[in-house]
Amino acid sequence: MLTQIKGLHHVTALASSASRNNTFFTHTLGLRRVKKTVNFDAPDVYHLYYGDELGTPGSVMTYFPFPHATRGRRGTGEVATTAFAVPEGSLDAWEARLTDAGVTGIDRLNRYGEHRLAFEGPDGEGLALVEAEDSRLPWTGGGVGEDIAIRGFHSVQMRLRDAGPTAELLGAMGYKEECRQANVMRLVLPEHNGAGTIDIETVDAPQGTQSAGSVHHIAFAVEDRAAQLEVRKALTEQSYQITPQIDRDYFYAIYFRSPGGVLFEVATNEPGFDRDEDRAHLGEALKLPSQHAHLREQLEKTLEPID
């Protein structure tokens, strides 16, 4: 069993409008935009990162906003819900805030004794706020008070036709089954960065189709490249087809497809989002990967303006 995994690093999803996505996460949810860059493989598309003050691993929601993309079809083989941790007793205030903002799909739920508020993002993506004891420091510069502000990820819930093989993989990655409720299995890392929970919902349904509102991949955190190589070696020995280490400027990444169909990434905590920007000004300037630097003039004219 691996011990290098520290929890979630980031969750990356697809959107249909950069400005609408940016407004929702920075104003409605009060997260900090910690990086404004572009997709490595499609430089005419933003890659936007939202999180706490520094974009600490375990707090970062990222998006590829493809202009005017149609909505994805929900189904199996995907992440159905991304949940954020908020302070105990804060859901009433959040429900009022989201309602005032015109957010759809709001629903109060109780799972495993936890109070949660489910809702939809601007492209219909499944999101939730979960009341939890959490010592992580929130970002409050987005207008949400410290008494209710998001602390980081709580968990993700995958929707699969067969939970067994993915649960076995997560077990090899250090997760342990904690409990089950109806058709949902919960797996938790014994020690983690605050974002150490994965729920797997088993559903007999067609495969989902990725587009706006779909999660593209989930990333698990490791400290550094050495730990990442240890994870790669162990999983390769279990016959998983894993990419080489890829430099993503703010972390190094390896990717592989999990048995249930969800794309997994393992990302390093180093070097971080402040490697090319002062911490006081994270996410303000358009930052380009070196291979796309020559496109700056064109991209600054064609990318949708965002605050």
Side-chain angles (χ1 to χ4, degrees):
M1 184 178 70
L2 295 168
T3 59
Q4 296 89 343
I5 304 293
K6 304 303 179 184
L8 292 173
H9 185 285
H10 64 270
V11 176
T12 295
L14 306 174
S16 61
S17 166
S19 60
R20 187 166 64 245
N21 182 264
N22 179 75
T23 296
F24 181 81
F25 281 93
T26 61
H27 295 280
T28 304
L29 296 189
L31 297 177
R32 187 182 193 188
R33 191 179 70 222
V34 295
K35 196 61 58 181
K36 181 171 67 170
T37 184
V38 297
N39 187 315
F40 272 76
D41 301 316
D44 57 336
V45 174
Y46 278 120
H47 193 176
L48 303 175
Y49 293 78
Y50 311 101
D52 64 10
E53 181 179 7
L54 300 179
T56 305
S59 77
V60 183
M61 188 81 192
T62 99
Y63 274 86
F64 300 134
F66 287 85
H68 312 298
T70 58
R71 286 197 177 184
R73 186 189 69 200
R74 295 185 179 183
T76 56
E78 65 176 2
V79 171
T81 306
T82 304
F84 300 90
V86 295
E88 294 179 339
S90 66
L91 289 189
D92 286 345
W94 273 109
E95 185 170 6
R97 182 181 180 87
L98 296 179
T99 299
D100 288 346
V103 173
T104 59
I106 298 173
D107 191 16
R108 295 287 282 263
L109 304 169
N110 187 298
R111 179 179 295 160
Y112 305 123
E114 297 170 335
H115 299 292
R116 66 168 53 205
L117 185 68
F119 58 100
E120 294 180 339
D123 285 294
E125 58 266 53
L127 302 172
L129 301 173
V130 181
E131 291 187 349
E133 290 187 15
D134 196 314
S135 61
R136 290 176 289 176
L137 296 176
W139 167 249
T140 57
V144 177
E146 185 175 357
D147 57 330
I148 70 168
I150 289 171
R151 268 48 184 174
F153 290 125
H154 173 273
S155 58
V156 296
Q157 179 172 314
M158 293 185 280
R159 185 188 293 120
L160 308 178
R161 290 180 65 89
D162 181 2
T166 298
E168 183 177 350
L169 166 62
L170 289 168
M173 294 170 65
Y175 286 80
K176 296 182 180 297
E177 182 178 341
E178 184 177 84
C179 51
R180 298 190 187 206
Q181 183 172 311
N183 62 331
V184 180
M185 174 194 305
R186 169 158 288 186
L187 298 104
V188 180
L189 281 173
E191 297 182 9
H192 55 80
N193 60 6
T197 299
I198 304 287
D199 291 335
I200 303 178
E201 177 187 14
T202 304
V203 179
D204 185 11
Q207 189 87 358
T209 301
Q210 282 200 347
S211 192
S214 303
V215 169
H216 184 269
H217 64 268
I218 58 174
F220 299 86
V222 293
E223 286 297 335
D224 51 33
R225 283 173 283 176
Q228 187 181 63
L229 285 175
E230 292 170 356
V231 171
R232 185 180 188 277
K233 180 176 185 294
L235 294 179
T236 299
E237 289 174 351
Q238 295 183 41
S239 300
Y240 287 98
Q241 301 298 310
I242 305 177
T243 68
Q245 287 178 321
I246 301 172
D247 184 355
R248 294 305 194 196
D249 285 348
Y250 310 107
F251 48 86
Y252 289 82
I254 57 175
Y255 302 87
F256 63 104
R257 188 69 61 177
S258 68
V262 179
L263 182 62
F264 281 9
E265 174 184 345
V266 178
T268 61
N269 290 347
E270 60 178 14
F273 294 101
D274 58 353
R275 67 174 294 271
D276 59 359
E277 283 185 295
D278 183 89
R279 291 185 175 187
H281 298 285
L282 289 179
E284 295 179 8
L286 177 64
K287 296 296 180 180
L288 298 178
S290 57
Q291 65 266 42
H292 300 316
H294 66 288
L295 299 175
R296 175 171 294 278
E297 183 177 358
Q298 172 191 340
L299 294 174
E300 289 180 342
K301 291 179 181 178
T302 58
L303 288 170
E304 181 182 3
I306 55 176
D307 296 334

